Amino acid sequence: LLENLEVTPALIQRCHELKQAGFVLSLDDHLFSPTYEPLYPLVDMVKVDLFVTPANTLPAKLQKLRKYPLKLLAEKIETRQEFQECFDAGFDYFQGYYLAKPAVMEKQRIDGNATALLKLLQQLMNDAEIDEIEETMRMCPGLTYSLLKLVNSVAVGSRKAISSIRHAIAMIGRKQLKRWVQLVLFAADDNRGLENPLVDMAAVRGGMMEQLVLNHDHYRRVGELAEEAFMVGILSLLERIYAVPMEDVVATLNLSAEASAALLHRAGVLGKILACVEAMEQMDFKGGWPGLEALGFTSGQVFAAQCEAFKWKASLA
């Protein structure tokens, strides 16, 4: 709950509903204010920004929050002294550069596993023969191993022994294999595999775009638009990790005009949906909501799509 929220009866009622549904509520960049007293019994955590409130002034300012059953989190801790002062002040949680500095992400060249994955994705999109797909898989033992692990995870309850790469592909199916390849592109040279945070982001973005199309009365009837929406969402993040222009990605995969326009110019239906989803990821609801409403989506459809996307990503674990 952001610091500029106006405390109204409607807001309090909504917080009650969210708590009953199992949500955890947090007040962000906050210090005690009588205006927020109706909310304090509902809130699980209060986050205090040390850039705004110096650590040595905290004890007196936190005293009034102590009577409520909530946890205190100190954010933007940059020195050992600030950490010690916050610890002495009784904070429960701590966040900041002193504890963990952000890692700088460097773009990689597309080589090794990533090359095989791009080739495999191209084959799948072009409905290549199973012999070609199998041959590409054989070129990359690590990819084969990952595929076998995936088949074991989705074929829960199946007692059939996997006899070959061809058998594994048949068990998972081309559609699921194509999705898996798109996701694994983000983890080709990362030992975290599908636990890579970028995989999370890509999966949720692609899944949300697909669900938005499926939830729309008109768009869900348009050919394979939902499948394309998923792919656009996934591929839109490739530039973040690979030193390759999006123009090259589009050309390599021979994408449709709709998908190409979406990825290169945020144009067309898929481009507009992508731009809105990107804005919402950055908490820019003013940039995201109007565009989705203009396309005919309701708030219920948007939230349902987001929830389904998170559920699908969780199922990959």
Side-chain angles (χ1 to χ4, degrees):
L1 307 174
L2 299 179
E3 63 274 14
N4 56 2
L5 277 178
E6 181 183 356
V7 181
T8 64
L11 174 66
I12 295 168
Q13 175 61 32
R14 184 58 177 153
C15 287
H16 273 289
E17 294 169 356
L18 291 171
K19 287 290 289 185
Q20 291 173 358
F23 283 87
V24 173
L25 304 183
S26 172
L27 285 171
D28 190 39
D29 294 348
H30 186 79
L31 283 175
F32 179 85
S33 169
T35 305
Y36 286 82
E37 285 190 317
L39 279 180
Y40 291 139
L42 301 172
V43 169
D44 301 276
M45 180 182 294
V46 168
K47 299 177 69 175
V48 179
D49 187 341
L50 295 192
F51 280 9
V52 177
T53 309
N56 58 10
T57 68
L58 288 171
K61 294 184 177 182
L62 297 178
Q63 193 61 39
K64 293 181 180 179
L65 291 171
R66 301 291 185 193
K67 62 181 180 180
Y68 298 101
L70 48 79
K71 300 293 186 181
L72 297 172
L73 182 149
E75 60 180 347
K76 299 181 183 175
I77 298 173
E78 297 201 337
T79 67
R80 179 176 178 80
Q81 181 180 346
E82 287 177 341
F83 171 74
Q84 191 62 52
E85 289 173 343
C86 292
F87 184 83
D88 293 341
F91 277 90
D92 302 284
Y93 301 107
F94 309 89
Q95 178 182 330
Y97 284 8
Y98 170 68
L99 301 164
K101 292 188 177 181
V104 176
M105 291 181 58
E106 295 183 359
K107 292 185 177 181
Q108 309 165 13
R109 294 179 181 274
I110 289 192
D111 54 14
N113 282 354
T115 300
L117 284 164
L118 276 175
K119 182 178 180 180
L120 183 57
L121 180 56
Q122 185 178 35
Q123 290 172 336
L124 289 166
M125 292 177 64
N126 293 333
D127 292 324
E129 295 296 328
I130 190 71
D131 291 341
E132 294 180 56
I133 295 173
E134 187 176 12
E135 183 60 31
T136 301
M137 295 291 298
R138 288 180 183 277
M139 292 167 55
C140 187
L143 197 57
T144 300
Y145 174 68
S146 297
L147 173 64
L148 296 178
K149 287 203 302 182
L150 176 68
V151 171
N152 284 331
S153 70
V154 296
V156 177
S158 174
R159 297 184 179 181
K160 292 183 179 179
I162 301 171
S163 57
S164 64
I165 296 174
R166 182 183 294 254
H167 186 193
I169 294 171
M171 285 182 67
I172 191 175
R174 289 194 177 216
K175 180 177 178 180
Q176 180 75 354
L177 180 61
K178 186 192 299 183
R179 295 192 167 202
W180 173 74
V181 170
Q182 291 171 30
L183 285 178
V184 175
L185 268 170
F186 291 85
D189 296 307
D190 190 316
N191 57 16
R192 291 171 294 183
L194 292 181
E195 296 302 315
N196 185 328
L198 268 177
V199 177
D200 273 341
M201 189 174 184
V204 172
R205 181 184 291 187
M208 184 173 179
M209 288 187 63
E210 177 190 39
Q211 289 300 319
L212 283 170
V213 170
L214 291 175
N215 288 344
H216 195 283
D217 290 339
H218 172 67
Y219 297 143
R220 68 184 176 205
R221 299 189 181 97
V222 180
E224 298 182 349
L225 193 64
E227 186 68 21
E228 273 199 301
F230 178 87
M231 181 183 63
V232 165
I234 294 285
L235 296 182
S236 66
L237 281 161
L238 270 188
E239 279 187 315
R240 293 212 181 174
I241 55 171
Y242 291 114
V244 56
M246 185 56 69
E247 289 82 357
D248 290 354
V249 173
V250 169
T252 299
L253 297 177
N254 192 28
L255 300 178
S256 69
E258 177 74 29
S260 299
L263 288 167
L264 295 175
H265 310 296
R266 300 301 186 263
V269 171
L270 294 182
K272 292 174 182 176
I273 294 176
L274 173 59
C276 293
V277 171
E278 288 174 322
M280 293 183 69
E281 287 173 354
Q282 300 299 316
M283 305 299 286
D284 178 13
F285 296 108
K286 290 183 179 179
W289 276 113
L292 290 172
E293 289 176 343
L295 290 168
F297 292 103
T298 67
S299 59
Q301 289 172 326
V302 174
F303 284 125
Q306 194 171 43
C307 287
E308 285 300 315
F310 279 111
K311 283 168 61 178
W312 179 74
K313 172 57 187 78
S315 72
L316 296 176

